[in-house]
Amino acid sequence: MELLIVSLASLLAGLVDSIVGGGGLILLPALFAAFPGAPPATLFGTNKSASIWGTAFATVQYSRKVVMPWRSLLPAAGAGLLGSLWGAWLVTQVDPSLFRKALPVLLVLLLLYTLVKKDLGRSHAPRFAGSQEAWVAAGIGLVIGFYDGFFGPGTGSFLVFACVRWLGYDFLHASAAAKFINLFTNMAALVLFTIKGHVWWHLALAMAVANVIGSLIGTRLALKHGAGFVRHVFIFVVLALICKTAYDTWLR
């Protein structure tokens, strides 16, 4: 029964995550509910072992339909991987509770900005070109990769917003770029969790298959309905993240 529950949650998480990020909002609570006595690190590692496959398949699907700026995304992904490793190491040295308290506030500001700027992310008009875009993208990858390794919730949504706001992408292109960068930040975290023995591989396979199925469905929906659809899902997911993180921080 536990395997069925977490596999269904993984499918839904893959669907949401492939569109705009935030799949952990669905899968992690399901894992904690199904296995309340398990070490948190093991559940985080098992989550990564499933979600990374959905992210990989979403990246491939997007790359077939959307023009991917590889010269900018490759440095961003490399910087994201390094930032994630740095953040994951730092979390073993200091308490990340300050991030937890600040996160709902940051998400509210992000949501308000998106709502006020009604044209934000509706048209694809890159602000930079060539090496300049690569440097900006690498900076985004490093900062958000560090956040992913150090704390994590909402990483995909932060990546989408950063690509829209600072690179000038529409929400569809931003989601495609975010998937590729997020693939590498997840990879760094998964390697660390695996080395420490914090992955339940007997669950990971079924969850990975379900996550890929959800990811393929979500990617097709995003490609079919375009940037406007992705923007609406983005707003919904950020609102859900605000509710979840505010509850965990101040009410729990």
Side-chain angles (χ1 to χ4, degrees), residues 6-252:
V6 296
S7 294
L8 289 173
S10 184
L11 187 148
L12 185 57
L15 191 155
V16 173
D17 206 43
S18 66
I19 299 173
V20 77
L25 183 70
I26 299 167
L27 184 51
L28 276 174
L31 283 167
F32 275 92
F35 306 101
T42 300
L43 299 182
F44 280 115
T46 304
N47 169 61
K48 291 289 186 185
S49 70
S51 63
I52 194 171
W53 290 102
T55 303
F57 273 80
T59 301
V60 172
Q61 289 293 104
Y62 277 121
S63 67
R64 290 175 176 173
K65 301 291 184 178
V66 174
V67 176
M68 304 280 280
W70 296 114
R71 290 185 179 181
S72 300
L73 291 182
L74 288 171
L81 189 149
L82 293 176
S84 183
L85 287 172
W86 179 28
W89 172 81
L90 190 62
V91 80
T92 66
Q93 310 297 315
V94 299
D95 183 6
S97 59
L98 288 176
F99 266 66
R100 184 176 293 109
K101 293 176 181 177
L103 182 59
V105 178
L106 291 175
L107 287 167
V108 167
L109 293 174
L110 184 152
L111 178 62
L112 289 175
Y113 187 90
T114 305
L115 291 173
V116 169
K117 299 283 187 178
K118 296 185 182 299
D119 293 330
L120 184 72
R122 292 189 181 276
S123 60
H124 187 61
R127 298 175 60 191
F128 307 101
S131 60
Q132 190 177 21
E133 184 180 68
W135 279 107
V136 176
I140 291 171
L142 183 66
V143 172
I144 300 183
F146 170 81
Y147 167 79
D148 192 21
F150 187 71
F151 193 53
T155 296
S157 299
F158 281 126
L159 279 170
V160 170
F161 179 80
C163 289
V164 170
R165 175 62 182 84
W166 283 288
L167 295 180
Y169 293 178
D170 66 12
F171 271 98
L172 182 61
H173 285 79
S175 184
K179 289 301 102 191
F180 183 69
I181 299 170
N182 205 190
L183 176 63
F184 283 80
T185 63
N186 282 341
M187 191 182 301
L190 181 57
V191 168
L192 286 175
F193 282 127
T194 301
I195 291 173
K196 295 291 186 179
H198 287 301
V199 178
W200 281 345
W201 294 109
H202 62 288
L203 287 180
L205 181 59
M207 288 169 56
V209 171
N211 200 267
V212 168
I213 293 171
S215 178
L216 293 176
I217 296 170
T219 307
R220 290 189 178 185
L221 286 172
L223 291 170
K224 180 179 179 180
H225 297 290
F229 170 76
V230 178
R231 175 188 167 93
H232 291 314
V233 176
F234 175 81
I235 291 171
F236 174 79
V237 169
V238 171
L239 184 60
L241 279 167
I242 290 170
C243 295
K244 176 67 166 62
T245 55
Y247 172 78
D248 290 345
T249 302
W250 297 316
L251 300 176
R252 200 168 185 175

